[in-house]
């Protein structure tokens, strides 16, 4: 593919000149709406209309082709059918247009014919160095400068509310629905991009640009696909550095990853699960619906982080206090335990029949003493034992407005997030609502919206506070045997370099060899057939455990060979692996790695037995990562309490498992796509301080070894 | 307690005359607002004002006391402080007032002094046969007749929208917030009741009455407590008969049931878990927040049930179709697979670049061909393979209104539920929204609200379709030994009558007895100490398993007695239980029963091992119940796949376990409160067709036996 000029979103958002190709005098059509929208919003650049059907549309001369425009044109909005698109693109190339937006449908979404046409269009563009948005999109909106370039219904609004949120959406319907609804709640935007079939510029490309934009503090995206996994992760990493939260709705969750086979641990990671794991690992704020996205935009655009997860709630109604407490627990937030100092302070403010316990119920006494609520909020803002303050009120009218005004003043003076739940009909609480929304205070209608938004903020704040995970240096490992599959006799020595213990063992080829080494072994021992052709040893009865005597070992030697030959007559048997048997108690876990086409090596871990078989309890992360991430990964397993010691069991060596997990992850990362799959199963986690032991392992390599 | 006259809600909702005691000329005060509200809504009955401070308030004469009113008064609204309440109540008694609402705070919510006052007020009322609402409430609203009797902010609306939803709420703030917000979405109500501290009439009492009300089709309630578990269940049972859905928000979930001990299976059932289980079992529609409640009211007030869980989605935007598919899976709904007949029909309607696969994307072509959307909906209404039709659109303006009008016509002609997602700013889609809301079509703003509401409807429809669970007849069991605790030698024979297998066993008191019975036993055997004083046999080393020979059995006899005496020197040893050991493979489960103070006997079941210890995987139901419920209970366990056979394991005898579970539940129900706790653990579930075996059991009885 040709190297194209760098994408710069300013050209799409602030073009000095725009040509609308396929301009129509019918202002309700796709070729007419963009004209009307630009006129209505007084576009200050040069506007050219192109359509051989007309001489003039309103005050504008209409050119037969773009080549007839006498001056340079920066951006072309192309509103013509897919049939004529190639001719028009050739004309754009000749005119040296640099940027174009293709509105039309009828491309890749129709299958192979459309896909071919789309590629042809792209080739014309690449040859002429034209960067493209679309096809199958409704256009972009520069909110800061009020320039609508397309035909979204939202563009018909009189004015757009500016702010610090940028939104990039593959779907126009989704993006502009969110924009429209968010604007009703007074959320201000900087830019909205819609990429459609994204034959050239993708939603991710826009996110890169939006990250660099100084007026944008919060990014939001609707993604149907992740065309470039590395770019996706890179965006999230840089977003953390710049402290710009990225809110993402990834659709198509249900389609993917459902059929991932359970038969092999490394293959469990369905792509939807992989996406979720990567998004979590790199701090994306995942939302499931447009309402969630708007709720997230609201709380993040205030640009305050939470220093912990302890909330204090002040309400005028007992019921909403109880609701907040119930929901906090469900969303893993804590109700702050107030210090006696704070409690005393609050008792001096609220009526005797109120409650100074968190949630603080100041009762409808707030109707009579108009400063109670504000004074209580102030006390909580100053209380070190709480990290966020939630105000839940139903106060309407003038009093409600006064309280909201007080909240704004208090909010200005503190770095602590203040979040408001204002419940009631618009005709009653609307005045206060307006005041809060205009000041950018996050305000929600119900306790559950409030607590859900807070939980997103608290989780992301924790992520932001986290110091960078130190990835360990991958050990240099000599890969000297370029075969496609490595079985345990090759994998185990390698694992030793990656901080695993492995049982003492040796491969023997004859009874004589066996006899001579047995003297130095402690019984019981384990014996296994080694063969490239027998990967499922148990099925082949090619494993024997608990061998207690020398004679039993010799008998087993022949028995195992016989079993293996019966199972697979043409199998090449390389020898018998003799190992000392692990007799210490431990917990059986597994580690699997699979190379994901989008994100590269994805590491899985979990418990053996019912946890994996019945509960599909697996934790996933993208390699590489350090011990901190490995620990988080282990903690996120449902079966985690098994490791910490339940019902009198000793705690297990979580530390050693985490260390080995991060080492093996980094090893896999260094091999890149060459390492197709790695499976260490079981890994026995011994008691705390005793380490871990890998009892079996297999690696599938790609085309060639490094 | 005195038997009071039956509660009839009509007296509270349609009183012929009202006296407001503590009437105030300040119409913003608690004593003034009710006057203004009744005047504004043109109350047609007689209104009397009582307050010695005034001679006249507006056009009304003001009486010094209620005794001065010359005629009969049906309902008293009492807006005075708790200090004077007893005097006023005595006057009400003398005046033979029959019904009163106590607005005032300052009662039980303040602790013991207030609680005492509240009880004194109740006593006065009971003696005089006055039925009470409150104290600590904001009053009731008869929406059908537009009579507001109290001071809720919502009462200030010009008019109230009538409909078929009744709401009873312990919290006034919650109840009237829901009412206000629901009215904004055009949900019509019949009655709203607010019970506050509910010293006499409870929210449940109102639900009973609302169930009987002909104009009410849907009930909703906010409960902070369940004063009467039997009444609660009775309401839900009758609601099923009458096909009136009951939507419930139960608050205080987080406070309760968290500290339930894990040490004993029967004690695991915290009261919050018990409530959830009972609500589920008897078909309450549980919601977590006011928005959920409103969403539920909307879909249930349309009075259509779903005949299955298959939905067909038709959209004008691909993105919302994907969202619906994603969410359907999360909410356990199915996307209907369309028949070729339906697909052909739809292909004849929609443009070639649309999709006739479900979700059906008719594209924005709907803008050009104005009947596409309606024709597609009609095809789906007629398609037998789908149970519900979802229409997701962003169409605004005149076209949007036309489509909504078409939907109403289609909805009238079918029993199949049609649900609409209408996304967009009010100024764009508001016209269509109004049309749908006025016609009572359930319409939501986002895919997730829509799918969540549908999942409530589908789940409840399934519950309604379910035939009555036949509870088995409890076997007559002779309880001949009135001791507080029954250990296994007494419990096991009883379990035999309840369809459990038990190992063959006998209690021996001497070596001679042991020797003589051993001849008829098959090895291996198990031996256990029987003593009322040793309930945890394993701790006392009072159990021995896997005994293989006669001599080993004799040695064990003495060893066990020695161990028991060492563990508890004063223990009375009744003998040694000799049992044949179960050698068949099976899955260890448990059954526990605990008498809950609110709901009576609650049955728990689950798996042994990590499922109970780590995952707290327990299923609860209230006894009695039949096999169907028992099966549901088992299926709701996370570990359920263990029973159906995973990874080559044979399926277990789920049937036998369900049967025994229902038998033991019904046995417990017949014992009533006498049975404090019952614990059968382990119950080994053998292979399909082989039955179940109870290996241990204990019962704690209450004061005396039946």
């Amino acid at each position: 593919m040709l190297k194209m000029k760098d994408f710069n979103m300013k050209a799409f958002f602030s073009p000095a000149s725009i040509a609308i190709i396929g301009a129509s005098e019918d202002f309700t059509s796709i070729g007419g709406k963009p004209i009307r929208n630009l006129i209505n919003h007084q576009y200050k650049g040069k506007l050219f209309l192109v359509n051989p059907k007309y001489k003039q549309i309103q005050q504008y001369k209409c050119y037969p082709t773009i080549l007839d425009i006498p001056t340079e044109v920066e951006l072309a909005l192309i509103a013509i059918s897919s049939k004529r698109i190639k001719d028009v693109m050739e004309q754009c190339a000749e005119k040296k247009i640099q940027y174009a937006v293709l509105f039309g449908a009828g491309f890749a979404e129709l299958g192979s014919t459309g896909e071919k046409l789309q590629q042809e269009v792209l080739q014309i563009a690449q040859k002429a160095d034209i960067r493209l948005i679309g096809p199958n999109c409704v256009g972009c909106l520069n909110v800061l400068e009020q320039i609508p370039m397309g035909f979204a219904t939202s563009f018909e609004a009189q004015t757009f509310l500016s702010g610090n949120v940028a939104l990039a959406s593959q779907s126009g319907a989704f993006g502009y629905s969110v924009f429209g609804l968010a604007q009703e709640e007074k959320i201000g935007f900087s830019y909205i991009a819609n990429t459609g079939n994204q034959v050239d510029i993708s939603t991710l490309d826009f996110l890169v640009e939006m990250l660099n934009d100084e007026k944008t503090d919060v990014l939001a995206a609707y993604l149907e696909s992740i065309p470039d996994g590395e770019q996706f992760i890179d965006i999230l990493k840089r977003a953390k550095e710049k402290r710009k939260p990225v809110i993402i709705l990834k659709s198509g969750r249900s389609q993917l990853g459902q059929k991932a086979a359970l038969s092999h641990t490394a293959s469990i990671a369905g792509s939807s699960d992989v996406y979720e794991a990567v998004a979590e690992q790199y701090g994306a704020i995942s939302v499931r619906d447009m309402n969630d996205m708007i709720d997230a935009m609201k709380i993040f655009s205030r640009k305050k982080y939470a220093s912990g997860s302890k909330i204090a709630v002040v309400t005028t109604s007992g019921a909403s206090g109880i609701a907040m407490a119930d929901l906090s627990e469900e969303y893993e937030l804590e109700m702050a335990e107030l210090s006696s100092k704070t409690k005393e302070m609050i008792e001096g403010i609220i009526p005797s029949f109120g409650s100074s316990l968190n949630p603080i119920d100041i009762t409808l006494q707030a109707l009579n003493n108009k400063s109670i609520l504000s004074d209580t909020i102030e006390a909580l803002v100053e209380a070190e034992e709480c990290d966020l303050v939630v105000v839940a009120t139903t106060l309407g009218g003038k009093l409600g407005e006064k309280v909201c005004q007080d909240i704004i003043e208090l909010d200005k003076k503190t770095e602590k997030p203040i979040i408001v739940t204002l419940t009631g009909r618009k005709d009653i609480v609307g005045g206060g609502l307006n005041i809060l929304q205009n000041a950018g205070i996050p305000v929600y209608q119900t306790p559950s919206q409030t607590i859900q938004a807070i939980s997103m903020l608290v989780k992301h704040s924790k992520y932001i506070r986290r110091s960078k995970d130190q990835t360990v240096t991958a050990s240099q490992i000599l890969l000297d045997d370029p075969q496609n599959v490595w079985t345990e006799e090759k994998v185990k020595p390698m694992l030793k370099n990656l901080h695993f213990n492995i049982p003492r063992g040796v491969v023997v080829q004859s009874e004589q060899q066996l006899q001579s080494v047995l003297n130095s072994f402690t019984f019981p021992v384990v014996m296994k057939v080694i063969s490239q052709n027998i990967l499922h040893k148990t099925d082949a009865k090619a494993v024997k455990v608990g061998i207690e005597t020398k004679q039993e070992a010799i008998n087993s030697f022949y028995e195992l060979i016989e079993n293996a030959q019966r199972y697979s007559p043409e199998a090449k048997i390389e020898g018998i692996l003799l190992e000392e048997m692990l007799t210490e108690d431990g917990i059986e876990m597994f580690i699997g790695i699979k190379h994901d086409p989008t994100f590269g090596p994805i590491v899985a871990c979990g418990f053996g037995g019912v946890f994996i078989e019945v509960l599909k309890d697996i934790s996933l992360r993208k390699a590489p990562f350090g011990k901190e991430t490995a620990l988080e990964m282990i903690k996120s397993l449902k079966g985690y309490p098994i490791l910490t010691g339940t019902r009198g069991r000793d705690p297990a060596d979580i530390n050693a498992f985490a260390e080995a997990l991060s080492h093996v992850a980094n090893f896999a990362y260094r091999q890149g796509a060459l390492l197709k799959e790695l499976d260490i199963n079981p890994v026995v986690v011994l008691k705390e301080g005793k380490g871990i032991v890998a009892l079996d392992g297999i690696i599938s390599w790609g085309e060639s070894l490094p």
Side-chain angles (χ1 to χ4, degrees), chain A residues 9 97 126 171 202 237 322 324 347 380 446 464 508 611 691:
Chain A
M9 76 171 183
I97 290 285
Q126 285 179 328
S171 155
S202 72
K237 281 183 180 168
I322 303 174
M324 296 281 183
E347 275 154 20
L380 293 174
T446 65
I464 289 291
V508 295
F611 278 90

Side-chain angles (χ1 to χ4, degrees), chain A residues 650-670:
Chain A
D650 287 320
D653 204 335
I654 300 171
N655 222 32
F657 187 69
E659 221 152 71
L661 191 57
S662 63
H663 277 285
V664 76
N666 297 337
F667 161 75
Y669 182 70
R670 284 187 60 152

Side-chain angles (χ1 to χ4, degrees), chain A residues 38 351 388 444 465 478 604:
Chain A
L38 284 167
L388 306 98
Y444 301 94
R465 281 197 310 275
L478 198 63

Side-chain angles (χ1 to χ4, degrees), chain A residues 478-548:
Chain A
L478 198 63
L479 302 168
D480 59 355
D481 189 3
Q483 292 186 56
N484 280 336
V485 175
W486 278 16
T487 49
E488 59 178 317
E489 83 288 357
K490 284 213 196 75
V491 174
K492 278 181 173 168
M494 191 201 79
L495 290 177
K496 209 166 175 177
N497 289 323
L498 297 173
H499 296 236
F500 289 77
N501 294 313
I502 57 165
R504 204 184 139 224
V506 63
V507 178
V508 295
Q509 262 95 15
S510 66
E511 190 190 322
Q512 285 72 9
Q513 278 184 22
L514 175 66
Q515 294 233 18
S516 69
V517 296
L518 266 178
N519 293 324
S520 67
F521 270 65
T522 311
F523 288 100
V525 296
V526 177
M527 291 169 74
K528 303 177 183 182
V529 174
I530 298 298
S531 168
Q532 284 281 327
N533 312 100
I534 300 177
L535 299 181
H536 298 100
K537 297 190 187 84
T538 314
D539 294 353
K541 293 185 180 153
V543 180
K544 206 137 190 214
V545 300
I547 297 164
E548 296 281 0

Side-chain angles (χ1 to χ4, degrees), chain A residues 4 310 637:
Chain A
M4 298 189 64
K310 297 198 182 74
L637 289 165

Side-chain angles (χ1 to χ4, degrees), chain A residues 279-509:
Chain A
E280 165 92 20
Q281 184 174 354
Y282 294 97
I285 296 146
S286 286
V287 294
R288 291 194 333 162
D289 193 15
M290 50 179 77
N291 277 344
D292 294 354
M293 181 174 269
I294 293 167
D295 287 350
M297 285 172 169
K298 216 186 266 183
I299 202 161
F300 285 105
S301 64
R302 183 63 193 87
K303 291 173 66 179
K304 284 186 180 185
Y305 289 90
S307 52
S309 61
K310 297 198 182 74
I311 65 171
V313 179
V314 50
T315 76
T316 51
S317 128
S320 62
I322 303 174
M324 296 281 183
D326 284 354
L327 291 158
S328 294
E329 192 169 295
E330 285 165 30
Y331 283 95
E332 293 176 14
L333 300 170
E334 287 171 82
M335 293 296 286
E337 193 167 322
L338 299 183
S339 69
S340 47
K341 186 182 143 210
T342 308
K343 269 192 269 188
E344 266 167 44
M345 200 185 282
I346 289 170
E347 275 154 20
I349 301 168
I350 67 173
S352 61
F353 48 90
S355 166
S356 69
L357 288 172
N358 185 17
I360 299 154
D361 183 5
I362 65 166
T363 78
L364 277 177
Q365 208 38 42
L367 287 172
N368 294 331
N369 181 336
K370 303 189 191 331
S371 72
I372 294 184
L373 186 53
S374 311
D375 291 350
T376 308
I377 299 168
E378 190 162 14
L380 293 174
V381 163
E382 280 160 22
E384 281 173 17
E385 63 272 26
C386 86
D387 305 310
L388 306 98
V389 179
V390 181
V391 185
T393 158
T394 56
L395 295 179
K398 287 289 157 214
L399 175 56
E401 290 176 19
K402 184 202 168 293
V403 166
C404 292
Q405 202 58 58
D406 289 348
I407 290 172
I408 292 173
E409 294 310 317
L410 290 165
D411 181 73
K412 276 184 200 154
K413 287 188 281 184
T414 176
E415 274 309 297
K416 195 180 279 191
I418 301 179
I419 297 99
V420 182
T421 312
L422 187 53
T423 310
R425 292 172 60 143
K426 292 259 157 57
D427 51 356
I428 294 161
V429 302
L433 184 66
N434 261 323
I435 289 171
L436 292 174
Q437 285 179 335
N438 287 334
I441 308 285
V443 50
Y444 301 94
Q445 204 176 39
T446 65
S448 77
Q449 282 180 297
T450 310
I451 294 294
Q452 203 188 331
I454 289 174
S455 81
M456 290 192 272
L457 177 64
V458 164
K459 188 178 167 191
H460 191 67
S461 301
K462 194 176 159 197
Y463 173 77
I464 289 291
R465 281 197 310 275
R466 234 179 74 177
S467 56
K468 220 180 151 200
D469 197 14
Q470 293 300 322
T471 52
V472 294
T473 315
S475 320
Q476 196 57 48
I477 291 180
L478 198 63
L479 302 168
D480 59 355
D481 189 3
Q483 292 186 56
N484 280 336
V485 175
W486 278 16
T487 49
E488 59 178 317
E489 83 288 357
K490 284 213 196 75
V491 174
K492 278 181 173 168
M494 191 201 79
L495 290 177
K496 209 166 175 177
N497 289 323
L498 297 173
H499 296 236
F500 289 77
N501 294 313
I502 57 165
R504 204 184 139 224
V506 63
V507 178
V508 295
Q509 262 95 15

Side-chain angles (χ1 to χ4, degrees), chain A residues 610-636:
Chain A
V610 291
F611 278 90
I612 179 69
E613 290 170 25
V614 177
L615 300 170
K616 293 154 185 77
D617 181 24
I618 302 166
S619 183
L620 299 175
R621 290 291 185 284
K622 181 188 157 8
F625 52 77
K627 200 174 140 190
E628 281 307 304
T629 300
L631 279 171
E632 264 181 28
M633 190 173 173
I634 299 164
K635 281 180 192 161
S636 74

